């Protein structure tokens, strides 16, 4: 694994915008000298490294599924701040094996040892457009003789094709609360992959979903029954909303992508459960729900935090806290290992899973200790 410098392509801004990354300006805080998409640097890997990472990612995914089974079997919903009234539906969703499509592991990796799990973005993962499309076109333009860990597009199309979804169009819903456009573009891309798989699709805002009281079903603006809904609206938000009980109660008659049981994988309490089940596993960092338990250096993560907000890093040399209002539901205490320093860049590997198979890689890079909304996306290649 190496960090390499390169010359950005002429007119790269218009190029990536034409490929779907229309939000590269709006998704980044103003006033930063470094753009969100930064092709002035990239990472290169050997094929042996990629194959080994694929194996590790698929093992982690299997461990996470086993953790879901454990949490449901032992009824540990309170550790995940899941309301008691919703817990039976989470369990039923898992027992039905409600279909899932994709997720993204965030990993610490320096090329010299096992990757370490930082979190699993299993419900509403983003950076999909840049991981699947934009960096692939960069590779073809800049390093046409090399490869990339990237079968995302083909695997997404294949996954939609193999799902047994209810009849009628599949609805793809963004929320108007997202002012950057990232959510709409991500859903639009997912919708495109579903259409390439032969599905009929409809785009809609979550705010435009209606409720047919007589039929007891969600409907769209044309009063069509919504039988399949792909959304980037987190389940923890949904269950807290006024329509939450209806969404949870309607699980049997409607397919949600991602499914309700993914609440247990997109919650950082998962990190502590995994450490309990697989203590000392080379891909895990010690993590606990009841405090640091003697860890010298640790990071306090909100169970339902996003983009690095509301975290605290505690080390013998001092502490650091990031701004943010997350944490009302509780925290997990995970051993802190600084991200590897590659000449001033600290990468987090976003390793994608489609279905149950490793499918690709996206890299976010920061100069600080925590990856947040100021971090940049940088491409990668597999050297030939």
């Amino acid at each position: 694994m190496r960090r390499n410098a390169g010359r950005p392509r002429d007119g790269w801004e218009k190029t990536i915008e034409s490929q779907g990354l229309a939000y590269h300006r709006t998704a980044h805080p103003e006033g930063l000298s470094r753009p969100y998409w930064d092709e002035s640097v990239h990472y290169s890997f050997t094929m042996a490294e990629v194959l080994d990472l694929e194996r590790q990612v698929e093992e982690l995914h299997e461990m996470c599924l086993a953790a879901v089974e454990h949490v449901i079997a032992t009824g540990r919903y309170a550790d995940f701040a899941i309301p008691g009234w919703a817990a039976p539906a989470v369990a039923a969703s898992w027992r039905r094996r409600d279909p899932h499509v994709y997720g993204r592991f965030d990993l610490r990796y320096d090329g010299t040892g096992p990757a370490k799990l930082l979190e699993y973005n299993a419900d509403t993962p983003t950076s999909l457009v840049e991981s699947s499309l934009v960096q692939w076109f960069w590779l073809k333009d800049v390093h046409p003789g090399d490869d990339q860990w990237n079968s995302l597009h083909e695997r997404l199309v294949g996954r939609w094709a193999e799902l047994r979804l209810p009849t009628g169009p599949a609805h793809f819903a963004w929320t108007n609360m997202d002012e950057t456009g990232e959510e709409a573009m991500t859903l639009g891309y997912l919708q495109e992959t579903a259409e390439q798989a032969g599905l009929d699709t409809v785009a809609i805002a979550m705010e435009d979903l209606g409720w047919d009281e007589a039929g007891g079903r969600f409907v769209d603006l044309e009063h069509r029954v919504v039988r399949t809904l792909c959304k980037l609206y987190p389940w923890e938000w949904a269950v807290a909303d006024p329509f939450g009980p209806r969404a949870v109660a309607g699980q049997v008659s409607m397919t949600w992508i991602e499914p309700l049981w993914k609440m247990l994988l997109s919650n950082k309490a998962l990190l502590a459960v995994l450490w309990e089940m697989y203590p000392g596993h080379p891909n895990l960092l010690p993590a606990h729900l009841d405090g640091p338990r003697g860890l010298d250096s640790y990071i306090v993560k909100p169970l339902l935090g996003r983009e690095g907000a509301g975290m605290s890093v505690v080390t013998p040399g001092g502490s650091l806290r990031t701004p943010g209002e997350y944490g009302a539901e509780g925290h997990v205490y995970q051993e802190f290992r600084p991200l590897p320093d590659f000449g001033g860049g600290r990468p987090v590997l976003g390793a994608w899973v489609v279905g149950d198979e490793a499918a690709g890689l996206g890299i976010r890079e920061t100069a600080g200790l925590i990856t947040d909304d100021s971090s940049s996306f940088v491409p990668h290649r597999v050297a030939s």
Side-chain angles (χ1 to χ4, degrees):
M1 180 180 176
R2 296 176 180 271
R3 186 178 190 259
N4 310 277
R7 180 177 177 272
R9 294 166 292 176
D10 292 337
W12 63 269
E13 297 98 331
K14 291 184 178 179
T15 297
I16 66 172
E17 289 165 7
S18 71
Q19 294 162 353
L21 196 53
Y23 50 86
H24 71 100
R25 304 177 196 272
T26 56
H28 219 34
E30 294 182 358
L32 298 178
S33 60
R34 189 181 185 188
Y36 170 67
W37 168 268
D38 186 1
E39 59 182 65
S40 70
V41 296
H42 71 274
Y43 285 82
S44 60
F45 297 82
T46 66
M47 183 57 72
E49 285 177 315
V50 168
L51 293 175
D52 192 41
L53 283 168
E54 284 187 331
R55 178 193 59 78
Q56 295 177 55
V57 166
E58 291 183 357
E59 182 176 351
L60 278 170
H61 179 66
E62 291 176 4
M63 291 160 57
C64 288
L65 297 182
V68 174
E69 179 64 37
H70 166 77
V71 171
I72 289 174
T74 55
R76 295 181 60 179
Y77 302 103
D79 287 339
F80 289 73
I82 292 176
W85 64 267
V90 174
S93 174
W94 171 249
R95 295 189 181 109
R96 286 192 305 268
R97 295 301 191 269
D98 287 347
H100 63 290
V101 174
Y102 73 129
R104 191 193 77 237
F105 286 103
D106 283 352
L107 306 172
R108 182 199 184 277
Y109 181 71
D110 61 10
T112 63
K116 300 292 186 181
L117 175 62
L118 301 177
E119 64 178 273
Y120 193 7
N121 299 278
D123 183 18
T124 58
T126 53
S127 76
L128 182 61
V129 174
E130 44 269 60
S131 296
S132 180
L133 295 179
V134 182
Q135 69 170 342
W136 177 256
F137 289 121
W138 165 86
L139 179 77
K140 297 294 103 179
D141 285 345
V142 181
H143 297 279
D146 286 346
D147 203 349
Q148 195 172 79
W149 182 12
N150 188 358
S151 58
L152 271 164
H153 188 86
E154 297 80 6
R155 290 187 184 276
L156 284 168
V157 173
R159 182 60 173 163
W160 289 117
E162 68 189 16
L163 295 183
R164 297 181 178 179
L165 298 176
T167 57
H171 288 71
F172 288 74
W174 71 93
T175 172
N176 289 325
M177 290 189 298
D178 174 37
E179 298 178 350
T180 69
E182 180 179 15
E183 192 168 312
M185 293 302 297
T186 302
L187 264 300
Y189 174 61
L190 283 168
Q191 184 178 355
E192 179 182 339
T193 61
E195 289 174 350
Q196 290 185 20
L199 274 63
D200 293 327
T201 68
V202 174
I204 192 171
M206 288 289 292
E207 291 81 359
D208 288 334
L209 289 171
W211 178 256
D212 176 11
E213 194 68 48
R217 303 291 293 270
F218 288 101
V219 294
D220 64 16
L221 291 171
E222 297 183 19
H223 301 284
R224 290 173 295 198
V225 172
V226 178
R227 294 183 170 89
T228 298
L229 183 69
C230 179
K231 47 76 180 171
L232 286 179
Y233 196 79
W235 269 113
E236 65 264 22
W237 294 2
V239 298
D241 280 346
F243 73 83
R246 292 170 175 167
V248 170
Q251 291 290 302
V252 178
S253 59
M254 182 176 166
T255 296
W256 295 73
I257 304 294
E258 293 293 308
L260 186 61
W261 60 263
K262 280 283 190 89
M263 287 187 77
L264 297 175
L265 295 186
S266 60
N267 187 306
K268 294 179 185 63
L270 171 71
L271 301 171
V273 172
L274 286 171
W275 186 251
E276 293 174 17
M277 296 177 65
Y278 305 97
H281 191 282
N283 293 125
L284 300 178
L285 294 168
H288 312 287
L289 290 170
D290 57 356
R293 293 195 189 180
L295 293 172
D296 289 332
S297 297
Y298 58 92
I299 182 168
V300 186
K301 298 181 175 181
L303 297 185
L304 300 174
R306 293 174 176 271
E307 288 284 358
M311 292 187 178
S312 297
V313 176
V314 180
T315 70
S319 61
L320 166 73
R321 176 174 172 79
T322 61
E325 303 300 321
Y326 295 107
E329 299 82 6
H331 299 81
V332 66
Y333 300 78
Q334 186 183 44
E335 180 181 88
F336 177 68
R337 298 265 188 101
L339 295 174
D341 188 346
F342 285 79
R346 296 180 180 272
V348 167
L349 272 58
W352 292 90
V353 172
V354 174
D356 298 309
E357 297 181 318
L361 174 68
I363 300 175
R364 292 284 297 277
E365 191 181 69
T366 181
L369 297 178
I370 296 175
T371 305
D372 57 19
D373 61 356
S374 68
S375 305
S376 294
F377 188 100
V378 299
H380 79 278
R381 63 186 173 96
V382 179
S384 56

